[in-house]
Amino acid sequence: MDFKVVLDVRNVVKEYGERKAVNQVSFQIHEGEIFGFLGPNGAGKTTTMKMICGLTKISSGEIYVCGKSVTKDKEYCLKNIGAMIETPLMYGYMSGYDNLKYYATLHEGITKENILSVARVVGLENRLKDKVKTYSLGMRQRLGIAQALLHNPKLLVLDEPLSGLDPAGVKEIRDFLKYLAKKHKIAIFISSHMLSEMEMLCDTIGIINNGYLLEVKHLKQLKEGLKGQQRIRIKVDYPNFAGSIVIKVLKLPVEIAGNSILIKADEKQVSKITKCLLDHGVNIFSIEFVEKTLEEVFMEIIDKKTNGKNSIL
């Protein structure tokens, strides 16, 4: 990606006594890029974000924002970071405008015009006079993002912004974040454990578990890696028996999925598989071709890197 590096995390460690909550984590985020930080609760996602935002001290390593060190040039870095860590604190009895006006006092030089401009960006210009307690959860998330954008940062750090939203709210925030990255060239660092949503939102994925960054890949690379991963799903009356037949007779890898068997094979082998099953008295109700999902690929990465001891979900 031929864009400017906005966030550069280099060999960062965070220690709490003898425990390393984050261990030798390194990655970069470029302008206009959405970087998804995936992992289970306690994996080190929020701790990493707090170090980026200067909310907790780095034990070792270094973090650079727009070329400056968070440790040595904290004030400069914070001017270029907008953050929503955990649930945004908004006052329900106040209007959306008054909430943004309050947060504007934490920065220098933010005018009424700046507030109205940010409200337009997040699509709340027609609801600014309404009390926040009347907002939907999706609108409150937008307002939280608006306060993070007040000072025109280059990097937006969002911790679980999709958590608790209904499907419509998730799509609303997802589309909005894509707009921010594409239209305003903001680098977005977003954590989540919702793999399917991150697949639709992010340009790059980082998987963290037990403090270790296991993998960093562009979505394009991951999707390229899925080529040739086609499987055949066959709905049968006795899946365990059918699976054992395919394994023993045809020597093909099989997974049991409810009332179906998943066989790693291509369409050229369908006639051979169906004939084998029918010859052994198995009734076939449907056949379809399915690609391996990104979620399955991520699970394989977790299992491979942790010897099957951990799960991302």
Side-chain angles (χ1 to χ4, degrees):
M1 186 175 290
D2 297 324
F3 293 108
K4 187 188 305 180
V5 175
V6 176
L7 175 65
D8 188 1
V9 178
R10 301 183 187 177
N11 301 315
V12 166
V13 175
K14 178 60 183 178
E15 297 175 335
Y16 293 102
E18 295 183 357
R19 183 177 72 90
K20 291 184 178 180
V22 175
N23 200 340
Q24 297 292 326
V25 167
S26 299
F27 60 89
Q28 292 183 339
I29 306 179
H30 302 76
E31 64 179 12
E33 179 182 10
I34 302 179
F35 186 104
F37 207 36
L38 304 180
N41 293 333
K45 301 189 301 294
T46 300
T47 301
T48 301
M49 291 184 152
K50 286 182 176 179
M51 286 190 287
I52 291 168
C53 297
L55 298 176
T56 190
K57 187 178 179 181
I58 302 168
S59 299
S60 66
E62 191 55 271
I63 296 173
Y64 298 90
V65 176
C66 298
K68 299 285 187 178
S69 164
V70 169
T71 303
K72 299 174 182 177
D73 299 284
K74 185 174 180 179
E75 185 175 347
Y76 171 87
C77 291
L78 292 183
K79 287 181 179 178
N80 286 286
I81 298 174
M84 191 172 76
I85 305 288
E86 298 170 338
T87 304
L89 177 62
M90 295 293 168
Y91 299 98
Y93 65 90
M94 292 167 56
S95 68
Y97 177 81
D98 286 337
N99 270 277
L100 291 181
K101 185 178 178 182
Y102 165 75
Y103 280 107
T105 62
L106 303 178
H107 306 280
E108 295 180 358
I110 297 178
T111 65
K112 178 180 179 180
E113 287 69 29
N114 297 139
I115 294 174
L116 296 177
S117 176
V118 167
R120 282 192 294 271
V121 169
V122 302
L124 288 178
E125 66 270 31
N126 296 323
R127 295 294 303 273
L128 274 185
K129 294 182 180 179
D130 298 339
K131 294 187 184 301
V132 169
K133 65 182 179 182
T134 67
Y135 285 12
S136 67
L137 184 53
M139 290 173 63
R140 292 187 188 202
Q141 294 292 74
R142 280 178 175 258
L143 188 64
I145 295 171
Q147 64 84 16
L149 293 172
L150 279 171
H151 56 296
N152 194 30
K154 302 295 184 183
L155 172 66
L156 191 58
V157 178
L158 305 175
D159 189 14
E160 299 281 1
L162 305 178
S163 181
L165 296 176
D166 60 22
V170 168
K171 184 180 185 303
E172 174 187 344
I173 297 299
R174 185 176 68 231
D175 292 344
F176 169 62
L177 293 177
K178 285 183 176 181
Y179 162 79
L180 277 183
K182 184 176 180 180
K183 183 74 174 180
H184 296 274
K185 299 298 181 186
I186 296 174
I188 301 177
F189 182 40
I190 176 173
S191 76
S192 181
H193 59 274
M194 300 170 65
L195 288 174
S196 58
E197 291 303 327
M198 292 298 97
E199 178 182 343
M200 290 186 280
L201 173 63
C202 300
D203 303 299
T204 310
I205 295 294
I207 301 175
I208 188 170
N209 198 38
N210 289 331
Y212 291 93
L213 190 60
L214 304 182
E215 195 85 51
V216 175
K217 281 188 178 291
H218 292 292
L219 257 296
K220 185 178 179 181
Q221 291 177 299
L222 285 168
K223 289 178 180 178
E224 285 291 325
L226 293 179
K227 291 182 178 179
Q229 298 279 0
Q230 190 180 66
R231 292 172 299 169
I232 303 168
R233 183 194 299 272
I234 304 179
K235 186 177 179 181
V236 295
D237 48 0
Y238 297 105
N240 288 322
F241 173 67
S244 67
I245 292 299
V246 173
I247 292 171
K248 290 177 182 178
V249 177
L250 301 178
K251 311 298 183 185
L252 294 172
V254 175
E255 296 175 36
I256 307 301
N259 57 2
S260 300
I261 56 174
L262 281 170
I263 307 168
K264 188 175 181 181
D266 58 40
E267 58 188 35
K268 295 178 182 178
Q269 296 171 286
V270 171
S271 60
K272 181 171 65 173
I273 294 169
T274 54
K275 183 179 185 305
C276 177
L277 292 173
L278 292 172
D279 286 347
H280 285 82
V282 177
N283 290 312
I284 298 173
F285 302 110
S286 66
I287 301 174
E288 63 176 327
F289 298 98
V290 293
E291 298 286 345
K292 184 176 288 187
T293 65
L294 287 175
E295 181 170 327
E296 289 173 307
V297 173
F298 291 139
M299 293 300 297
E300 288 178 3
I301 292 172
I302 290 286
D303 288 340
K304 181 179 179 181
K305 297 289 179 75
T306 61
N307 297 317
K309 296 179 181 178
N310 295 284
S311 170
I312 194 168
L313 294 175

